[in-house]
Amino acid sequence: AAEIDLERSKRWPNPTIGIGYRDYEYTDQDTWDFSVGFQIPIFNRNQGNLRRARESLAREESIAFAERNRIETRRQTAVSAYTTHSKRVVTFRESIMPKMQRALDIAQDTYSIGDIAILEVLDAYRSFSEARLSYLKELLDAHLAAIELERFGTRGLEAIPTEPAR
């Protein structure tokens, strides 16, 4: 906008003021000349530079608008990711992991009685370990989304449980 104002001010030329002194040796006269002048812009009113400045301003505004949209899209994506991963963490912590732990405990107790083979206990332990790994991945993703949200200054979302499920 300042560039447009500058180009607009250049539409009118600056006046020129001149002063001169002449000494004629042959006639022994001294003369002083004073002049005031300025150019009259009939055809060139600096319209080309004004148009260029307006187009530059419009281009910069569209770039700023696109950048704001890109940032808002990233923020909304981070909010969505945070919400999704936080819900999954809670589901793992409150529902899936206790059930997997109970299944593993039952398999170990049943094996100690002699009702099942060791392969079934190992299978239950593998299932528990895979569930725990999935839980930890969701917890990591939730924390990464929370970090992304902090970059945007978004606060006030529900806290992520930090205690890993056992």
Side-chain angles (χ1 to χ4, degrees):
E3 189 175 336
I4 291 174
D5 291 341
L6 175 65
E7 293 301 333
R8 195 174 286 144
S9 71
K10 289 181 181 178
R11 282 194 293 189
W12 303 104
N14 294 331
T16 56
I17 299 174
I19 187 167
Y21 170 75
R22 294 184 198 178
D23 180 20
Y24 295 103
E25 293 180 20
Y26 297 112
T27 60
D28 203 22
Q29 289 182 328
D30 295 331
T31 60
W32 289 90
D33 295 329
F34 296 99
S35 64
V36 176
F38 59 94
Q39 296 175 347
I40 300 175
I42 295 174
F43 296 110
N44 181 12
R45 293 177 301 158
N46 206 22
Q47 294 301 308
N49 287 337
L50 276 170
R51 186 176 298 119
R52 183 191 50 77
R54 286 186 188 117
E55 289 171 358
S56 176
L57 177 64
R59 184 175 44 255
E60 294 299 324
E61 286 175 345
S62 67
I63 289 170
F65 181 75
E67 183 65 18
R68 281 192 299 272
N69 282 344
R70 188 185 66 80
I71 289 171
E72 181 59 24
T73 301
R74 284 185 58 205
R75 189 191 69 78
Q76 289 175 356
T77 302
V79 167
S80 175
Y82 177 81
T83 304
T84 302
H85 292 300
S86 294
K87 287 179 182 177
R88 289 180 185 169
V89 165
V90 170
T91 302
F92 266 102
R93 199 182 84 200
E94 293 177 359
S95 178
I96 296 173
M97 292 310 296
K99 289 178 184 176
M100 296 302 288
Q101 181 65 50
R102 197 172 91 219
L104 179 61
D105 292 342
I106 290 172
Q108 288 173 341
D109 291 343
T110 308
Y111 173 75
S112 66
I113 298 173
D115 287 347
I116 60 172
I118 188 69
L119 289 177
E120 293 178 35
V121 174
L122 292 176
D123 188 44
Y125 186 74
R126 181 188 52 78
S127 296
F128 174 78
S129 297
E130 287 175 354
R132 180 163 168 77
L133 179 63
S134 296
Y135 167 74
L136 292 175
K137 284 181 181 178
E138 289 297 329
L139 188 62
L140 174 66
D141 290 341
H143 281 288
L144 291 175
I147 290 169
E148 183 73 13
L149 284 177
E150 285 185 18
R151 289 178 53 199
F152 295 110
T154 306
R155 299 193 189 281
L157 297 173
E158 59 194 52
I160 304 170
T162 56
E163 181 67 27
R166 290 187 165 62

